[in-house]
Amino acid sequence: MKHYDAIIIGAGQAGTPLAKKLAEAGKKTAIIEKRLVGGTCINDGCTPTKAMIASAKAVYQAKKASALGVEIGSVKIDFKKIKQRKDDIVEQFRASSEKGINNTKGLRLIFGTAKFSAEKELTIALNDGGEEMVTADWIFINTGAKTAIPEIEGLDEIDYLTSTTILDIESVPEHLVVIGGNYIGLEFGQMFNRFGSKVTILEKSSGILAKEDQDIASALTEILTDEKIEIITDVKIDKISQDKKQLHLSIQSGKTKKNITASHVLIAAGRVPQTADLGLENCGVKLDDKGHVLVNEKLETNIKGIYALGDVKGGPAFTHIAYNDYTIVYRNLIEKTKYSIHDRPVPYCMFTDPQLGRIGISEKEAKEKKLNYKVALIPMSQVARGIETNETLGLMKAVVDADTKEILGAAILASEGGEIMSVLQMAMEGGITYDRIRYCVFAHPTYTESLNNLFMKLDK
């Protein structure tokens, strides 16, 4: 039985850099990966989807180029080439990540499935056969999450797609039904609609983006429906069946019953942590009622020396949060700092077109907290850069403290919304109040320059 100073389970966006840094700090380290180095982000999430979304954006821009005086004619896609480009980028990123691990002195990469057999002991079912037992002083769980499969009659009898398997289809679906009207479902829905699919989005709540403010959700709903995407809300799916040619869904929307025929169904109704097969009952690590690993503010579980990072621990399920988890744990253990996850900023961006960049609290949250706040809002149709580039869909919105003039949060539904949001995040980090941004000198003509006009709305 081999003993290590540190073992990381899962070579995702927290596990891989942590393993390398621990090894570079002189710790004898192993990282165990059951599938592919790079985790969800590189293999099934950010990298492949954003590569394909870029292709979908090019289709859309080509079709609307006539508004800019450019006549392109018929626009055709080569889906095999789109998929190949995506696969090549994923392979490039994955190979680079794996090479980085293999070139790190004192770090061993093990391909296999790890399971706790005692508190600090793991049994690994090796991918190439056989079994190995290892122990460590520190163990880091970075096993991520997977698609949540809802309980729907007949679902287990059909060939449904997930956010992972849809990346491997060889042709554009004729009619794609997306179950779930949040970030994953909306990105895929718009993408395949632009590739030529008929798309229907089914959402169980009263509207898409249930966690966002109503004006943001309504604006995106209008944008998507204008692209001929069908959005059905208040949905209960009674049954799904399949014959040789098609899928059949029986649904209820409010009091209305409806039957939908589709070629493909994508499940995008949430994610669940991958903890079921870790044997955590053998080491005593506690889980919440949804299966997430419970951690304290320094990401340590109830068992000293066992930590959890990334999506498996619950909370915001974003790559950048997982990466920040790594930096907190590493600096605390090796550099003896005292960083915690308490009150850290949680920015995120949904890559629909236009993008939705978010930071801080929403207006809905400000209202629930009974804060003395004000809202600044400007439609993109009033943004000079947007008008010049024909990117006028969406809006900029900020929530500010009426007394201190601090920025409490922002939602930017706009072309390059994530980049604009990041400027406001930096202002929030630096304590820069909205009145200073109101008169700040930004380069003209940029999207960010319109933050002057956004906060000008608060002059009265």
Side-chain angles (χ1 to χ4, degrees), residues 177-350:
V177 170
V178 181
I179 299 177
N182 276 296
Y183 318 119
I184 294 173
L186 297 179
E187 285 186 4
F188 275 115
Q190 187 183 46
M191 178 205 305
F192 278 101
N193 176 70
R194 290 178 170 187
F195 287 151
S197 299
K198 177 183 177 182
V199 172
T200 302
I201 295 173
L202 305 180
E203 170 55 42
K204 67 178 181 179
S205 301
S206 59
I208 62 171
L209 298 178
K211 294 181 180 179
E212 304 295 340
D213 285 335
Q214 184 60 52
D215 50 3
I216 298 294
S218 296
L220 186 57
T221 298
E222 184 177 345
I223 290 166
L224 296 176
T225 53
D226 282 349
E227 288 192 38
K228 309 305 180 188
I229 296 172
E230 182 181 24
I231 299 174
I232 307 175
T233 57
D234 286 315
V235 168
K236 179 182 181 297
I237 303 171
D238 295 322
K239 186 178 180 180
I240 303 180
S241 60
Q242 183 173 14
D243 57 31
K244 290 182 179 180
K245 294 183 178 180
Q246 294 176 312
L247 297 163
H248 304 276
L249 296 88
S250 300
I251 71 167
Q252 281 185 262
S253 174
K255 295 181 180 179
T256 304
K257 291 193 174 185
K258 188 173 183 178
N259 294 315
I260 299 173
T261 300
S263 60
H264 297 73
V265 169
L266 169 65
I267 305 298
R271 308 269 292 170
V272 292
Q274 299 198 84
T275 51
D277 300 324
L278 281 174
L280 295 177
E281 66 278 4
N282 298 323
C283 67
V285 167
K286 292 181 180 178
L287 305 174
D288 68 12
D289 57 356
K290 294 183 179 179
H292 297 107
V293 178
L294 289 169
V295 295
N296 62 21
E297 290 185 350
K298 291 183 171 54
L299 299 166
E300 191 171 25
T301 69
N302 60 297
I303 303 299
K304 187 173 177 59
I306 300 181
Y307 297 79
L309 302 88
D311 298 358
V312 74
K313 72 179 191 313
F318 303 115
T319 292
H320 45 281
I321 295 299
Y323 187 85
N324 186 246
D325 286 349
Y326 131 67
T327 68
I328 288 172
V329 165
Y330 172 79
R331 288 180 291 174
N332 286 349
L333 290 175
I334 302 301
E335 298 176 2
K336 306 304 178 185
T337 55
K338 294 182 180 180
Y339 292 107
S340 84
I341 62 173
H342 179 66
D343 280 346
R344 67 176 163 186
V346 184
Y348 58 89
C349 188
M350 178 178 66

Side-chain angles (χ1 to χ4, degrees), residues 41-94:
C41 178
I42 286 179
N43 296 294
D44 317 308
C46 315
T47 298
T49 58
K50 279 46 179 180
M52 293 180 75
I53 283 171
S55 297
K57 171 94 172 179
V59 175
Y60 180 71
Q61 287 178 318
K63 288 182 176 180
K64 71 171 189 174
S66 60
L68 298 174
V70 179
E71 297 298 335
I72 291 176
S74 177
V75 179
K76 296 181 180 179
I77 70 162
D78 183 340
F79 190 70
K80 288 185 177 179
K81 190 171 182 179
I82 291 169
K83 182 179 181 298
Q84 188 60 57
R85 175 180 176 271
K86 175 264 297 181
D87 290 342
D88 290 346
I89 293 171
V90 169
E91 176 56 35
Q92 175 191 343
F93 285 17
R94 183 195 303 142

